[in-house]
Every structure is written in C-alpha cells, then in structure tokens.
Amino acid sequence: SGVLTLADRSIRSIMTPRSEMSWVNLDDEADEILRQLQESPHSRMPVGRGQLDNLVGIARTKDLISQLVLQARIEDAVTDGNGPIRKPILLPDTAGVLKAMDTLKRAHGQLVLVTDEFGIVQGLLTPVDILEAIAGEFPDEDEQLAIQPKGEGEWEVDGAADLHQLEQVLETEGLVSNDDEYTSLAGFLLARFESLPEPGQQIEIDGLRYRILAVEERRIAKVAIQRIVPEAADTSEQAA
C-alpha cells in the first residue's frame, strides 16, 4: 500500500516538519552548541544564524564537534565543499515524491531542505523519510513512535502523525483527501473541530472516536483514538 500511494503523495506528507527539526544556531554559545551536538542522534544538521530561515548551510555533526573542540568556534562561511558547512540542497514543497527521490539520489548522503514559495524552510527530507513512507516508522533514539497501540482497538497518536500511515494502521479510509492541504492527524482534526480544541474534547468520525489528550503551542499534540464497537442488540430482540 505504501509503495502504490507513494507517487501520489506530497513532500509535506513524508518530510520531517519544521517543528520537529534539530538545527544549530551559530548565535548560541560554543559550549551550548557542543552539548547539543554531542547529544544529537543526527549525523547531519542545518546550520543557521539567529533563526532557521537565516540559513548558512548543512554540516556533519562530527565535523562541527571537531571544529569546536579544536578552535572553540564554528566558521560560518559556506565553502566549496572542503569546509565544515556546505551549501544546502533546497527543494520546493510543490515537488512530488518521485522528484524528491531523484534529488536525494544526487545528494550523496546530504539531507534536503524543503521550502515554500517564499523561501521559508518547511521541513527536511532524507532517504529514511522515503523508507518510512513505504514501510512505517524508524524512530531515532530521541523519538517515540507516532502511533502507539494501547489495547484492542485503541491507539495514542501524535498530532503530527502522517494520515497515509494512520489509514494503514487503523485499516480505514477517508482520512486522506487530495483536495485537502493538511497531511497530519492534527490538520485533519482541526478541519473537523473548526477551531483549536481543548484537552478532553472528542469527536466521532466513521466509526472512530478521537479524543484530544494534549494541546501544546497552539497545536494538537496527542490524540487518543478508539474504534467504536456497535452495541450488541438486546437479547430479547434477538430471541424474538
């Protein structure tokens, strides 16, 4: 199913969104940057100054650590490829997944940044994101599964969970629509609630009950999903 739907999916539906990206801020203190790099499970990270959209480039984590240890600072000049920070590979969010795969093939292991029409970084893309779109999640050490089974017909789901994958896990249809701009569970529910819900609010859609567990920074963070089991008919009615 993941393979068959891959060509029809948008980059937004498979990329790591901006809100979940890790990046290095050159304006931070050297000790803070070094601690961040040492604790990060990522082999490459975007580098910016002050904010992510003030992008300097992409660097290997181990190269940044080496430079900080040896020189106690990071050169922010983008070089011709011999320095620690390299020019980023950018891809518009309007490109299809097949175009993204072709770009990743030519990236030689470097991650690809996804931008909108205004040049604002929307997320990043790696070969692992393509693999996850086909086969499901491969979480990093600092990540948890976005869709966690909690019992028979019950799940706890991250608001950022991909709708394509959620359809496969829930064995349902109707979550994904080519006419909708959202790609996550949070976007799907916001369109149904028509406002930011509060924890405890719930809604029933196509045999599933969605209950809001957590809202963080004006976004739906956690959702409990339960399959609604039709109540058994009255015994006397069945006998009749």
Side-chain angles (χ1 to χ4, degrees):
S1 177
V3 173
L4 293 175
T5 61
L6 194 61
D8 297 326
R9 296 181 60 170
S10 66
I11 291 181
R12 283 180 173 271
S13 73
I14 67 170
M15 71 182 185
T16 299
R18 180 186 177 114
S19 60
E20 299 179 13
M21 286 176 55
S22 299
W23 62 283
V24 174
N25 185 357
L26 292 177
D27 286 350
D28 290 341
E29 296 294 329
D31 290 344
E32 183 178 346
I33 295 176
L34 182 58
R35 182 169 56 254
Q36 175 192 3
L37 294 171
Q38 290 174 329
E39 295 175 354
S40 174
H42 307 298
S43 61
R44 285 177 170 81
M45 297 178 69
V47 179
R49 182 174 291 283
Q51 59 180 352
L52 178 58
D53 294 312
N54 190 10
L55 191 64
V56 175
I58 305 294
R60 293 192 301 181
T61 302
K62 66 177 184 179
D63 291 340
L64 296 180
I65 291 176
S66 297
Q67 184 150 12
L68 280 170
V69 170
L70 295 175
Q71 301 182 21
R73 67 191 183 96
I74 298 176
E75 292 292 343
D76 62 344
V78 178
T79 68
D80 58 1
N82 296 320
I85 303 177
R86 303 189 179 190
K87 293 181 180 180
I89 299 175
L90 304 177
L91 194 66
D93 59 2
T94 53
V97 172
L98 298 184
K99 172 64 176 178
M101 291 176 63
D102 184 58
T103 301
L104 285 168
K105 288 179 182 178
R106 294 182 280 105
H108 301 291
Q110 184 172 327
L111 58 84
V112 173
L113 293 178
V114 181
T115 60
D116 65 11
E117 60 183 310
F118 304 106
I120 305 300
V121 176
Q122 300 298 310
L124 62 81
L125 198 62
T126 70
V128 173
D129 294 314
I130 303 292
L131 183 59
E132 287 185 332
I134 298 173
E137 293 180 272
F138 292 80
D140 291 323
E141 293 180 5
D142 61 345
E143 294 180 332
Q144 291 185 338
L145 289 172
I147 306 173
Q148 301 185 45
K150 292 298 180 181
E152 183 66 28
E154 297 183 3
W155 301 266
E156 184 175 302
V157 185
D158 193 291
D162 171 51
L163 289 177
H164 287 84
Q165 183 183 359
L166 191 57
E167 277 193 344
Q168 295 179 36
V169 173
L170 300 182
E171 298 180 348
T172 187
E173 297 180 352
L175 300 182
V176 177
S177 172
N178 294 331
D179 297 330
D180 297 323
E181 296 182 356
Y182 52 79
T183 61
S184 68
L185 174 61
F188 173 81
L189 291 177
L190 282 173
R192 271 64 186 176
F193 280 107
E194 297 184 342
S195 63
L196 184 64
E198 297 180 356
Q201 283 188 258
Q202 61 185 32
I203 188 172
E204 296 182 3
I205 306 171
D206 296 334
L208 294 168
R209 181 180 294 113
Y210 302 83
R211 179 166 57 88
I212 307 301
L213 296 179
V215 176
E216 300 174 358
E217 299 180 353
R218 300 183 301 279
R219 71 180 185 89
I220 298 173
K222 286 288 184 182
V223 179
I225 301 179
Q226 182 180 29
R227 194 180 306 281
I228 302 172
V229 179
E231 295 183 4
D234 185 81
T235 306
S236 61
E237 292 180 359
Q238 290 182 354

